Amino acid sequence: PQVYAWLWPTLFPYGVGFFEDHTRKTSGFREVPLYLHARNYLNLADRRFQTHLSFMFVIHNILLVRRSSSRTRLAVQRSWWPFAAQAMDNVDDATLVDFRDHLIDKKNRKDASPVKPKSKGEEAIMKLLRHVQYVDDHVDGSMGNVAMMREQIRAIMRSAGTPSLFFTLNPADGHNPIVSYLAGKDIDIDALFSKPDSRFTSTDRLRTLAENPVAGASFFHLMVEEFIGKFLGVDRRNKRGVFGRVRFYYGVVE
């Protein structure tokens, strides 16, 4: 855990408060997970964690690697399990190394033809690749996550029919004064349109967004919530928005 304090001495100048400090248990405090601890730091009022150049990116990579390495699993259809088990018996470390070298050699020769196995072991590997799925639907942006969202959309279509409306929502975070307000700038939020603050130009807002990506993420979340709740009417009492009463909606963040 001390590595976190060594990575960011300006964020933890006294060597306390860093992540996954196991001495908390012996001191009578509850051990806080890394995700919740980092989220709390990103919501602090002084915003020094929000504006740090590497903090949020390093923490995000650590969390992503942990999820992908500890919570992924292999899945195979029940009818294919006997064939998969037999194929796994024919695969060993040497076969995997040979198959890797085979693919590397094929890539170096710029050979775009289908891969043809050279041995029974490679045939078993090809069968496993064809029938065994790598399930990682909890990792955002992964192929498993995309497949899960696709099935959810199909389930809605089977229940309510094809969608009536498609649209792309792209909030102009680089030109909206609300981003500067969320970043802690001295802006009168009640006078944005009747009396704009001339001290913050479009360039200043873009610079503020680059310095504080958390403010941009908060702005995007706010705009999407307001669009769904007010524009589509999901949060209204009568559940009616611009397009009437919306029965189902589904949104994906790129």
Side-chain angles (χ1 to χ4, degrees):
Q2 288 83 1
V3 174
Y4 297 113
W6 298 337
L7 281 174
W8 303 293
T10 58
L11 298 179
F12 305 101
Y14 300 103
V16 295
F18 47 82
F19 306 106
E20 299 178 334
D21 186 2
H22 301 296
T23 60
R24 298 178 189 274
K25 286 186 176 181
T26 59
S27 303
F29 295 98
R30 180 172 62 90
E31 188 172 0
V32 182
L34 176 60
Y35 170 75
L36 295 178
H37 205 163
R39 187 176 66 177
N40 179 70
Y41 279 152
L42 291 176
N43 290 326
L44 291 178
D46 63 357
R47 297 180 174 85
R48 57 195 175 100
F49 287 90
Q50 297 181 10
T51 56
H52 196 274
L53 293 177
S54 64
F55 171 76
M56 66 184 72
F57 302 104
V58 173
I59 293 297
H60 174 72
N61 288 336
I62 292 175
L63 292 172
L64 193 62
V65 170
R66 287 186 179 182
R67 290 179 182 178
S68 60
S69 61
S70 62
R71 297 175 56 185
T72 54
R73 59 192 184 276
L74 299 178
V76 62
Q77 294 183 2
R78 185 185 298 272
S79 60
W80 276 99
W81 172 245
F83 304 98
Q86 183 179 3
M88 282 188 275
D89 291 336
N90 295 328
V91 176
D92 53 15
D93 295 341
T95 305
L96 291 174
V97 173
D98 293 340
F99 188 66
R100 181 201 62 186
D101 295 339
H102 179 194
L103 295 179
I104 293 176
D105 178 67
K106 193 171 184 297
K107 180 180 179 182
N108 293 335
R109 291 186 287 103
K110 297 182 179 180
D111 185 1
S113 61
V115 178
K116 295 181 179 180
K118 296 181 178 180
S119 62
K120 292 184 178 180
E122 292 190 0
E123 289 181 4
I125 294 176
M126 296 291 291
K127 288 183 179 180
L128 289 175
L129 292 175
R130 192 180 306 116
H131 301 296
V132 178
Q133 296 182 352
Y134 181 75
V135 180
D136 55 350
D137 53 5
H138 60 281
V139 179
D140 294 337
S142 63
M143 294 303 298
N145 183 252
V146 172
M148 180 190 68
M149 291 188 293
R150 187 184 298 116
E151 290 301 321
Q152 290 175 345
I153 295 175
R154 289 173 177 172
I156 295 177
M157 293 174 60
R158 285 190 290 266
S159 174
T162 56
S164 302
L165 177 67
F166 297 88
F167 64 89
T168 299
L169 181 63
N170 186 16
D173 50 4
H175 304 282
N176 198 311
I178 297 179
V179 178
S180 299
Y181 175 79
L182 294 174
K185 301 298 182 180
D186 185 17
I187 292 180
D188 185 3
I189 196 67
D190 296 324
L192 285 177
F193 300 102
S194 60
K195 186 181 178 182
D197 195 335
S198 59
R199 295 177 299 166
F200 296 95
T201 63
S202 178
T203 303
D204 294 330
R205 292 169 187 149
L206 291 172
R207 184 181 297 110
T208 299
L209 179 64
E211 294 174 350
N212 194 336
V214 176
S218 300
F219 170 77
F220 179 82
H221 183 72
L222 175 64
M223 292 294 102
V224 172
E225 279 193 334
E226 291 299 315
F227 181 84
I228 295 174
K230 304 299 189 301
F231 196 83
L232 299 183
V234 176
D235 294 339
R236 296 177 181 271
R237 291 185 178 181
N238 57 5
K239 303 297 181 182
R240 290 186 179 276
V242 175
F243 303 105
R245 184 169 296 176
V246 177
R247 186 179 178 187
F248 294 103
Y249 69 91
Y250 196 95
V252 177
V253 179
E254 294 183 355

